[in-house]
Amino acid sequence: MSRNIYLESTPLHEALSKWLQRLDSGLVMRPLSGEKIKVTDSLGRVTAQAVTADISSPFYHSSAMDGYAVRFADTFGATERNPKRLKTGEEAVYVDTGDPIPDRFNAVIMIEDVNIIKAKSKEQSSEATATEYIEILSPATPWQHVRVIGEDIVATELILPENQKIRPVDIGAMLAGGHIDVSVRRKPKVVIIPTGTEIVEPGSDLKKGDIIEYNSRILGGLVCEWGGEPVRFRIIPDNLEELKKAILEAYDMGDLIVINAGASAGSEDFTAKAIKDLGEIALHGVNIKPGKPVILGWVKEKPVLGIPGYPVSAYITFNLFAKPLLYKRQGIEMEEPEILRAKMSRQAASVIGQEEFLRVKVGKVGDNFIATPVTRGAGALMSLVRADGFVRIPAMSEGLGAGAEVDIELMRSKSEIESTIVCIGSHDNALDLLANILKKRFPGFSLSSAHVGSMGGLMALKRGEAHMAGTHLLHEETGEYNVPFIKRLLTGRKIILMNLVYREQGLIVPKGNPKDIKGFKDLTRKDVIFVNRQSGAGTRLLTDKCLKDIGIKQGDVRGYEREEYTHMGVASAVLTGIADTGLAILASARALDLDFIPVAKERYDLAIPHEFIETEMLRRLIKIIQEDSEFKNIVTALGGYDVSDMGKVIYEG
Amino acid sequence: MSRNIYLESTPLHEALSKWLQRLDSGLVMRPLSGEKIKVTDSLGRVTAQAVTADISSPFYHSSAMDGYAVRFADTFGATERNPKRLKTGEEAVYVDTGDPIPDRFNAVIMIEDVNIIKAKSKEQSSEATATEYIEILSPATPWQHVRVIGEDIVATELILPENQKIRPVDIGAMLAGGHIDVSVRRKPKVVIIPTGTEIVEPGSDLKKGDIIEYNSRILGGLVCEWGGEPVRFRIIPDNLEELKKAILEAYDMGDLIVINAGASAGSEDFTAKAIKDLGEIALHGVNIKPGKPVILGWVKEKPVLGIPGYPVSAYITFNLFAKPLLYKRQGIEMEEPEILRAKMSRQAASVIGQEEFLRVKVGKVGDNFIATPVTRGAGALMSLVRADGFVRIPAMSEGLGAGAEVDIELMRSKSEIESTIVCIGSHDNALDLLANILKKRFPGFSLSSAHVGSMGGLMALKRGEAHMAGTHLLHEETGEYNVPFIKRLLTGRKIILMNLVYREQGLIVPKGNPKDIKGFKDLTRKDVIFVNRQSGAGTRLLTDKCLKDIGIKQGDVRGYEREEYTHMGVASAVLTGIADTGLAILASARALDLDFIPVAKERYDLAIPHEFIETEMLRRLIKIIQEDSEFKNIVTALGGYDVSDMGKVIYEG
């Protein structure tokens, strides 16, 4: 096993400036050459040279009104008392808006301002052959109601400068200025080489050890969004010679070569070696998390990027090191990400010495933007899908305390964030359905839920970090759900408690129940491993009550200390053999086709502070909960739910 | 001439709500059906149903590190003093990051944390056949360094809700979740029918009266930007029956039919009649300016929009009435335009009774955003190209006073506006070249110039509305340029005066000088019509000085009262026969291939308040003026310029 674990750990700003300098000295920071395309196909492209008007617009004097073209000198002296007559066809000619003004005329009188008069001269015997005149009551001024040549665009005038991204109106102006072709920057091409013996194409028959290749599609999508053209190379196995051949083959296919992955220093990581053999490595290893093992390299006259394999690392490093190049090559400036100032809802520790890119969800609760970190693993693609933005934690920081003010680089617009209902608390599968139905009915609104348990949800309401909390806390003494806890934890706050569902909790076991688990008493068996929920979860309280009821000590349950944060997490642990059983709702067992031993029926409510009830987004959501039959039906179809009180206000105070 | 001048004048909010109601009752406000496409082609499309994971990711337990897979139970009790040995291949198996964990194992120990040891048993005679062990110094915890099944995505989990616009990371997540196809909303199709007998295709041989058809390309570009698909119909002449046939033919080609133009009430405006004959008109005439004669109609089961012909009217009404429909059909929300609060640099009167959409340029000077109206004609396409945004002047307002605070709906980003140098003052063709070179060298910066004359420019500096002013004011008494005016008008301000060029001013006459004009003395001739510059322009002062020098009264010059705002405006008036001559710079005569009678050489300077000199954008610009040889060369090539003092500081005080 040959390993080279000595990656550099260059600070990000140093790495970036080194990379940009290397690109600059390699002459690839200059805009690409132009290519001639049809103006009508140029939307979103970037001009490669200034566009000046070939012809004026309008290119002839034209009427700006429906009316009569006249010589203004002929109209001198016309008044209401002394109207003036002009002979049509000779001294006045009818023109529609846009019609050219005949050469000898230099003003237009609006149709509304003339009287048309037929007058017979001595020689004319009938009305039909009578001469027609227009009668006017005031003089015209020179060039009135005339769009003179070049009024909009004068020939030779600058229509668009070089390096201008072309918008719909720019297309119109170029056509009006007499152009049918335009020289635009060639789109920068990025060749993306996916590597890895274990990598397979989406849609393949999967076997253990296979990894579906999707990073190249994420990177390709980003290239498109940045105005470039992605070229996806075939998958290359972990083999130094094949990788080198691939780089040389890719060389003529694009302006930047990206190898994903093999950028680390493992026994099968050949990217650095391949680049070094063919060219040079400017830098290997940047002091960021995730994304450390990035390679900035150079082969002959082209930049070659080695991008780490974990999707979050790939996304971050590609944004940092490829995006500036793509913009420079098009001759345009990168747009600054929208920055939002927010407060951290909870602490996020960070390792000193590495700059961390923390993904966060953001919600606006009352007047405050609240940021909550999502899963931090570099392999957690869904953390990117769900994130609203990034917080950068500087290398020399130990992390962020709860309540810390942070600047978030947004991945969603601020207005989307403002239209998001923040639900923190206990997880229930019905919440996912509710989120989807809300988005379906009212695309402008979203429901975002964070799963921290019932107790955590009520505490979030208390701290003003959520619009609502899902809760199913059983009060042991009174046997009452939720209300005693709200009274105690949210003293003085006006809270509405609304039922969402009653649901069945039970022990989830593998299909066919191979270990023949019948109930909580089996949890003391040596061959049974349990999976628990986190403290503060209603399900955890239920577990503890069940154990206490039959006199089992927590220490006697194998796996009691392994905590999951959702019902699906528990079901998944059972499905995959991490545990033999765990307490969760029927819907999660159904979802993964597992068996279920009923333990209790419980009430799952939503607690909503009174001040949010009348916001438009909450009103929409409550309307769905109370009235939407499709929602009721799909929740019922999940199994284990009783929706008879759905939307009923249980408590208000 | 059949005319129907009785358009309605419905207030905009009423028209909009009437239109949206009509669309709603016509069932076309509902999202379009889905179509199945490849996930890899789905960037920017909108999900037509929720996407849930078909498979988990990872779908097998895999190693998160390079190291050894072990059973955690086997590692109990390992310490530094009492290391534990595990036999490789049996109790420990080497795994790379991403490799599946063999079934019997449930933890991974990092390669860095093991010692590899070869030990010969009695039967083994050589090193080569020695048994290999790993030695560990601490126990493993269950599932450490293992990416368990579903760690990123659990099968059945919601990946994307319905009505979600697909981003690069979403493509990755769908592929990871086992999808190769996705159901997305069909793109709403908009059929755009250009009408008008005078309309010709771009690139046609043009003759007087022809109008190049470009509106359909602007509207089509907007449709693309909004996520729809434009279908451009062939050009239809002004003929009722042909238009009706076209509408029926277009009927099956799209979800919305747009007729441009003929929406007004002129003799050749058939759009309203055609829609009425085939269906109904919900509304004809909205109380906005520009854009009044819009038609909201309905044929069988489809909406039909009649859009006015002037490009600015077309742009505004299409945005107002087509955009909401296109978004609804995709199941997504329109993005709110970015709003910027700014101060009007000058007054903009508006007609009471009509809501006006005023186009403005915006600049950030010091801490203030300053808005300046651009040309207001509905035919002025370049006013849209140049505008940074719109100000809506309510129907019941007489307009905006200078200094009024306004909300601007931005067409450019705020950061682009903040990176724009505002130059107000005298016009010179070299400024256009400077703007273009700046954008070429530094795509992040722009130079925007407004032409209000030298005096107007200095006043704009005084009011804090510009970063610099172009000026060529000749002080009659001292014969000195600019400095006496700066001292008088900008008392107490620190101003740097930098030379841009010396340039030749002269009388511009048509090619061949048909009226044989030799100098200012010819301006009193009855057959000579002059075109003037506006008061406050340096060229106007020069004109007045020349007239005075030879004792001609202003009243004796025909055309003295017709004012143009730029040199090109004057040249254009001469080219097109509006005037016989006017005073302007040689470059403008050259540009339009006109003849030129030299009158004076003058100094054209840039006045820059000291506080802006050190901003990055001004530093860049000044560097170009002082050092860029390409800029010097292209200015010289214009003709009539002396660049020997270009960039020289003439005065500082």
Side-chain angles (χ1 to χ4, degrees):
Chain A
M1 258 145 283
S2 71
R3 284 180 53 82
N4 159 28
I5 55 168
Y6 304 103
L7 289 188
E8 296 166 75
S9 205
T10 312
L12 177 57
H13 65 273
E14 226 177 283
L16 260 176
S17 85
K18 198 167 174 183
W19 177 233
L20 296 180
Q21 261 171 41
R22 182 63 188 86
L23 293 173
D24 203 31
S25 73
L27 305 180
V28 300
M29 288 298 263
R30 299 194 295 198
L32 289 165
S33 56
E35 61 183 6
K36 211 164 124 179
I37 62 167
K38 295 258 163 265
V39 168
T40 48
D41 295 332
S42 68
L43 185 66
R45 300 295 293 271
V46 178
T47 52
Q49 56 192 53
V51 180
T52 54
D54 276 353
I55 52 173
S56 295
S57 175
F59 62 91
Y60 49 88
H61 300 312
S62 71
S63 183
M65 292 286 174
D66 294 350
Y68 284 85
V70 299
R71 280 177 296 265
F72 75 89
D74 293 348
T75 66
F76 285 173
T79 64
E80 290 203 27
R81 306 188 83 190
N82 290 304
K84 226 170 166 175
R85 287 187 179 186
L86 301 175
K87 193 168 171 186
T88 60
E90 284 177 21
E91 294 167 306
V93 171
Y94 180 79
V95 283
D96 276 316
T97 304
D99 282 352
I101 307 291
D103 272 342
R104 60 192 187 281
F105 297 116
N106 52 18
V108 167
I109 298 175
M110 287 198 289
I111 185 84
E112 290 86 338
D113 295 339
V114 305
N115 294 314
I116 292 156
I117 289 178
K118 300 245 174 183
K120 276 185 283 190
S121 64
K122 285 166 214 162
E123 300 85 45
Q124 290 165 328
S125 52
S126 77
E127 273 293 316
T129 59
T131 306
E132 193 185 87
Y133 295 88
I134 61 166
E135 191 176 70
I136 55 172
L137 308 178
S138 60
T141 57
W143 302 103
Q144 78 173 23
H145 304 317
V146 175
R147 294 190 70 215
V148 298
I149 294 175
E151 182 172 291
D152 190 4
I153 307 174
V154 179
T156 77
E157 184 181 356
L158 181 72
I159 298 176
L160 300 178
E162 186 174 333
N163 293 334
Q164 165 90 40
K165 199 163 192 173
I166 297 169
R167 304 164 303 167
V169 289
D170 301 330
I171 290 177
M174 286 190 282
L175 293 174
H179 293 275
I180 48 171
D181 299 315
V182 57
S183 171
V184 295
R185 299 255 175 255
R186 190 163 67 66
K187 287 186 174 197
K189 278 192 186 170
V190 179
V191 191
I192 302 164
I193 308 176
T195 71
T197 307
E198 68 286 5
I199 295 292
V200 298
E201 293 289 354
S204 308
D205 276 336
L206 295 175
K207 53 182 202 305
K208 246 194 203 181
D210 288 346
I211 295 176
I212 298 173
E213 202 293 300
Y214 55 78
N215 273 355
S216 72
R217 307 303 182 169
I218 299 179
L219 304 184
L222 291 171
V223 169
C224 290
E225 289 194 334
W226 300 335
E229 189 183 322
V231 182
R232 183 179 182 267
F233 207 84
R234 63 181 184 277
I235 295 173
I236 299 298
D238 294 317
N239 174 304
L240 180 61
E241 289 314 312
E242 286 200 48
L243 181 55
K244 281 159 69 174
K245 266 205 293 199
I247 295 173
L248 293 176
E249 195 182 328
Y251 188 82
D252 291 320
M253 296 165 65
D255 305 292
L256 167 67
I257 298 163
V258 174
I259 303 163
N260 179 250
S264 195
S267 61
E268 289 165 11
D269 293 329
F270 297 112
T271 303
K273 180 84 171 85
I275 297 174
K276 211 171 163 188
D277 284 358
L278 298 172
E280 52 166 315
I281 287 182
L283 204 139
H284 187 188
V286 179
N287 195 20
I288 53 173
K289 182 184 169 185
K292 181 171 177 180
V294 68
I295 302 168
L296 313 178
W298 198 268
V299 171
K300 285 189 269 180
E301 284 162 8
K302 272 178 198 159
V304 180
L305 265 181
I307 292 282
Y310 276 131
V312 184
S313 311
Y315 180 89
I316 290 174
T317 51
F318 197 63
N319 263 283
L320 289 171
F321 296 100
K323 193 176 181 184
L325 176 62
L326 260 74
Y327 277 77
K328 282 282 180 196
R329 299 242 77 178
Q330 292 174 83
I332 50 175
E333 218 40 27
M334 282 203 291
E335 279 157 53
E336 299 285 319
E338 200 181 351
I339 301 288
L340 182 73
R341 204 148 178 84
K343 217 180 247 185
M344 292 294 291
S345 70
R346 58 174 107 137
Q347 184 211 42
S350 182
V351 178
I352 281 214
Q354 258 190 331
E355 178 166 351
E356 183 168 357
F357 287 74
L358 185 74
R359 280 87 69 208
V360 293
K361 295 274 315 163
V362 193
K364 191 181 185 192
V365 182
D367 294 330
N368 298 313
F369 287 98
I370 307 288
T372 305
V374 297
T375 328
R376 291 163 86 171
L381 175 59
M382 285 305 288
S383 76
L384 272 183
V385 171
R386 294 198 184 107
D388 295 319
F390 284 92
V391 176
R392 296 199 191 194
I393 307 179
M396 291 325 292
S397 159
E398 287 186 275
L400 305 163
E405 296 256 327
V406 289
D407 281 329
I408 298 167
E409 296 175 22
L410 288 185
M411 295 168 69
R412 264 189 249 278
S413 75
K414 196 175 147 196
S415 68
E416 278 176 272
I417 287 168
E418 288 174 328
S419 314
T420 298
I421 300 170
V422 180
C423 176
I424 299 185
S426 168
H427 175 251
D428 188 277
N429 294 42
L431 282 181
D432 296 343
L433 299 178
L434 185 58
N436 197 51
I437 285 264
L438 177 70
K439 189 103 197 139
K440 181 172 180 170
R441 299 272 185 269
F442 309 103
F445 295 119
S446 303
L447 173 66
S448 134
S449 29
H451 312 131
V452 300
S454 298
M455 205 68 99
L458 297 182
M459 293 309 291
L461 289 188
K462 186 179 174 134
R463 290 190 302 264
E465 291 168 6
H467 297 109
M468 59 186 224
T471 174
H472 58 115
L473 290 167
L474 177 58
H475 193 242
E476 272 200 57
E477 292 146 46
T478 60
E480 198 182 351
Y481 270 97
N482 300 324
V483 178
F485 294 89
I486 289 174
K487 286 184 176 160
R488 198 182 71 210
L489 292 174
L490 296 162
T491 323
R493 289 284 291 279
K494 283 189 79 174
I495 302 288
I496 284 122
L497 189 72
M498 178 177 290
N499 180 251
L500 186 65
V501 289
Y502 299 92
R503 61 185 195 179
E504 268 189 279
Q505 291 261 26
L507 287 170
I508 289 185
V509 292
K511 192 79 181 168
N513 195 1
K515 294 208 173 163
D516 193 31
I517 293 165
K518 296 205 172 64
F520 269 85
K521 61 178 176 1
D522 290 311
L523 299 192
T524 53
R525 277 163 51 185
K526 290 239 175 339
D527 64 330
V528 171
I529 295 179
F530 181 70
V531 56
N532 208 348
R533 287 290 305 282
Q534 85 281 18
S535 344
T539 306
R540 171 74 164 256
L541 294 192
L542 182 59
T543 296
D544 291 345
K545 181 176 178 299
C546 292
L547 292 175
K548 194 176 160 196
D549 285 353
I550 55 172
I552 295 179
K553 275 185 269 173
Q554 295 166 0
D556 291 340
V557 177
R558 271 170 199 68
Y560 183 87
E561 60 295 325
R562 180 178 173 99
E563 296 180 349
E564 286 290 337
Y565 276 75
T566 64
H567 297 283
M568 287 303 289
V570 168
S572 180
V574 172
L575 176 72
T576 60
I578 293 172
D580 298 306
T581 189
L583 190 63
I585 56 176
L586 178 59
S588 62
R590 285 264 183 98
L592 299 185
D593 196 25
L594 299 165
D595 279 357
F596 183 82
I597 300 142
V599 167
K601 185 172 161 178
E602 64 174 12
R603 204 179 77 211
Y604 181 94
D605 298 332
L606 298 173
I608 311 172
H610 187 266
E611 64 263 37
F612 303 132
I613 284 282
E614 278 307 310
T615 59
E616 194 194 343
M617 56 187 183
L618 263 297
R619 276 196 292 111
R620 303 279 198 202
L621 188 81
I622 290 169
K623 204 176 149 72
I624 289 173
I625 296 171
Q626 294 183 329
E627 298 173 17
D628 198 303
S629 56
E630 185 185 346
F631 177 56
K632 270 201 178 66
N633 291 340
I634 53 173
V635 171
T636 308
L638 281 180
Y641 286 108
D642 170 355
V643 298
S644 55
D645 279 345
M646 185 178 270
K648 186 175 155 187
V649 174
I650 303 278
Y651 164 84
E652 203 171 343
Chain B
M1 259 145 282
S2 73
R3 285 181 52 83
N4 159 28
I5 56 167
Y6 304 104
L7 288 188
E8 298 167 73
S9 206
T10 312
L12 177 58
H13 65 273
E14 228 177 282
L16 260 176
S17 86
K18 199 168 172 181
W19 177 235
L20 296 180
Q21 262 170 43
R22 181 63 188 86
L23 293 173
D24 203 31
S25 72
L27 305 180
V28 299
M29 288 298 261
R30 299 194 297 196
L32 290 166
S33 57
E35 61 183 6
K36 211 165 124 178
I37 63 167
K38 295 260 164 262
V39 167
T40 47
D41 295 332
S42 67
L43 185 67
R45 301 295 293 271
V46 177
T47 52
Q49 56 191 54
V51 180
T52 54
D54 277 351
I55 51 173
S56 295
S57 174
F59 61 91
Y60 50 87
H61 300 313
S62 70
S63 182
M65 292 286 174
D66 293 351
Y68 283 85
V70 298
R71 280 177 295 265
F72 75 89
D74 293 348
T75 67
F76 285 173
T79 64
E80 291 203 28
R81 305 189 84 190
N82 288 305
K84 228 173 162 170
R85 288 187 179 186
L86 301 175
K87 194 170 170 186
T88 61
E90 283 177 23
E91 295 166 306
V93 171
Y94 180 77
V95 283
D96 274 315
T97 304
D99 282 351
I101 306 289
D103 272 341
R104 60 191 188 282
F105 297 115
N106 52 17
V108 168
I109 299 175
M110 287 197 289
I111 185 85
E112 290 87 337
D113 294 340
V114 305
N115 294 315
I116 293 158
I117 289 179
K118 301 243 174 183
K120 277 185 282 188
S121 65
K122 283 168 217 164
E123 297 85 44
Q124 291 164 325
S125 51
S126 77
E127 272 293 314
T129 59
T131 307
E132 193 185 84
Y133 294 88
I134 59 166
E135 190 176 69
I136 54 173
L137 308 179
S138 61
T141 56
W143 302 103
Q144 79 173 23
H145 304 316
V146 176
R147 293 191 71 215
V148 298
I149 294 175
E151 182 173 289
D152 189 6
I153 307 174
V154 179
T156 77
E157 183 181 357
L158 181 72
I159 297 177
L160 300 177
E162 188 173 331
N163 293 333
Q164 164 89 41
K165 199 161 191 175
I166 296 169
R167 303 164 301 167
V169 290
D170 300 330
I171 290 178
M174 287 191 281
L175 294 174
H179 294 274
I180 48 173
D181 298 315
V182 57
S183 171
V184 295
R185 300 257 175 254
R186 189 163 68 66
K187 286 185 174 199
K189 278 191 186 172
V190 180
V191 191
I192 302 164
I193 308 177
T195 73
T197 307
E198 68 287 5
I199 294 292
V200 299
E201 293 289 356
S204 307
D205 275 336
L206 296 174
K207 54 182 199 306
K208 249 193 199 182
D210 288 346
I211 295 176
I212 297 173
E213 201 294 299
Y214 56 77
N215 273 355
S216 72
R217 306 304 182 167
I218 299 179
L219 304 184
L222 291 171
V223 170
C224 290
E225 289 194 334
W226 301 336
E229 189 181 322
V231 182
R232 184 180 183 263
F233 208 83
R234 63 181 182 276
I235 295 172
I236 300 297
D238 293 317
N239 174 304
L240 180 60
E241 290 313 312
E242 286 200 50
L243 182 56
K244 281 158 70 173
K245 265 204 294 196
I247 295 173
L248 294 175
E249 195 182 328
Y251 189 83
D252 291 320
M253 295 165 64
D255 305 292
L256 167 67
I257 297 163
V258 175
I259 303 163
N260 180 248
S264 196
S267 60
E268 289 165 10
D269 293 329
F270 298 113
T271 303
K273 181 84 171 86
I275 297 173
K276 212 172 164 189
D277 285 358
L278 298 173
E280 53 167 313
I281 287 183
L283 204 140
H284 187 187
V286 179
N287 195 20
I288 52 173
K289 183 187 168 183
K292 182 172 178 179
V294 69
I295 303 167
L296 312 178
W298 198 267
V299 172
K300 287 189 271 180
E301 285 164 6
K302 270 176 200 162
V304 180
L305 264 181
I307 293 283
Y310 276 131
V312 185
S313 311
Y315 180 89
I316 290 173
T317 52
F318 197 64
N319 263 283
L320 289 170
F321 296 101
K323 191 175 181 185
L325 176 62
L326 260 73
Y327 276 79
K328 281 281 181 198
R329 298 242 79 175
Q330 294 175 81
I332 50 175
E333 218 39 31
M334 282 203 290
E335 276 156 55
E336 299 286 321
E338 198 181 352
I339 302 290
L340 182 73
R341 203 150 179 82
K343 217 179 247 183
M344 292 294 290
S345 69
R346 58 175 108 138
Q347 184 208 43
S350 182
V351 179
I352 281 213
Q354 257 189 333
E355 179 168 350
E356 182 169 356
F357 287 73
L358 184 75
R359 279 88 69 210
V360 293
K361 295 272 322 161
V362 193
K364 190 179 187 194
V365 182
D367 294 331
N368 298 312
F369 287 98
I370 308 288
T372 304
V374 295
T375 328
R376 291 163 86 171
L381 175 59
M382 284 306 288
S383 75
L384 273 183
V385 171
R386 294 199 183 106
D388 296 319
F390 285 93
V391 176
R392 296 198 191 196
I393 306 178
M396 292 324 292
S397 161
E398 287 185 274
L400 305 164
E405 295 256 328
V406 290
D407 281 328
I408 298 166
E409 295 176 21
L410 289 185
M411 295 168 70
R412 263 188 250 277
S413 76
K414 197 176 147 198
S415 68
E416 278 176 89
I417 287 168
E418 288 174 328
S419 316
T420 298
I421 299 169
V422 181
C423 176
I424 299 185
S426 168
H427 175 251
D428 188 277
N429 295 41
L431 281 181
D432 296 344
L433 299 179
L434 186 58
N436 198 50
I437 285 266
L438 178 69
K439 189 104 194 136
K440 181 173 179 169
R441 299 272 185 270
F442 309 103
F445 295 119
S446 302
L447 172 67
S448 134
S449 28
H451 312 132
V452 299
S454 297
M455 206 69 100
L458 297 181
M459 293 308 291
L461 288 187
K462 186 179 171 131
R463 292 191 302 267
E465 290 167 9
H467 297 109
M468 59 186 224
T471 176
H472 57 115
L473 290 167
L474 177 58
H475 194 244
E476 273 200 55
E477 292 146 47
T478 59
E480 199 182 350
Y481 271 97
N482 300 323
V483 178
F485 294 89
I486 289 173
K487 284 184 176 159
R488 198 181 73 212
L489 292 172
L490 296 163
T491 324
R493 289 284 291 279
K494 282 189 81 175
I495 302 287
I496 283 121
L497 188 72
M498 179 176 290
N499 179 250
L500 187 64
V501 288
Y502 298 93
R503 61 186 194 178
E504 266 189 280
Q505 291 261 25
L507 288 170
I508 290 184
V509 292
K511 192 79 183 165
N513 195 2
K515 294 208 173 163
D516 192 29
I517 294 165
K518 296 205 173 64
F520 270 85
K521 62 178 175 4
D522 291 310
L523 299 192
T524 53
R525 277 164 50 185
K526 292 241 179 329
D527 65 330
V528 171
I529 295 179
F530 182 70
V531 56
N532 209 345
R533 287 290 305 280
Q534 86 280 16
S535 348
T539 306
R540 172 73 163 256
L541 293 193
L542 182 59
T543 296
D544 291 347
K545 181 174 179 295
C546 292
L547 292 175
K548 195 177 159 198
D549 286 351
I550 54 173
I552 296 178
K553 274 184 272 173
Q554 296 168 359
D556 292 339
V557 178
R558 272 169 197 71
Y560 183 88
E561 58 296 324
R562 183 178 173 99
E563 297 179 347
E564 286 291 336
Y565 277 76
T566 63
H567 297 282
M568 288 303 289
V570 168
S572 179
V574 172
L575 176 72
T576 60
I578 292 171
D580 298 307
T581 189
L583 190 63
I585 55 176
L586 177 60
S588 64
R590 287 263 183 98
L592 299 185
D593 196 23
L594 298 164
D595 280 358
F596 182 82
I597 299 142
V599 167
K601 184 172 162 179
E602 63 174 14
R603 203 178 76 211
Y604 182 94
D605 298 331
L606 299 172
I608 311 172
H610 187 263
E611 63 263 39
F612 303 133
I613 284 282
E614 278 305 311
T615 59
E616 195 194 343
M617 55 188 184
L618 263 297
R619 275 195 292 114
R620 303 279 199 202
L621 189 81
I622 290 170
K623 203 176 150 70
I624 289 172
I625 297 172
Q626 295 183 328
E627 297 174 17
D628 198 303
S629 55
E630 185 184 345
F631 177 55
K632 269 202 179 66
N633 292 340
I634 54 174
V635 171
T636 308
L638 282 180
Y641 286 108
D642 168 355
V643 297
S644 56
D645 279 346
M646 184 177 270
K648 186 176 157 187
V649 175
I650 304 277
Y651 165 84
E652 203 171 344

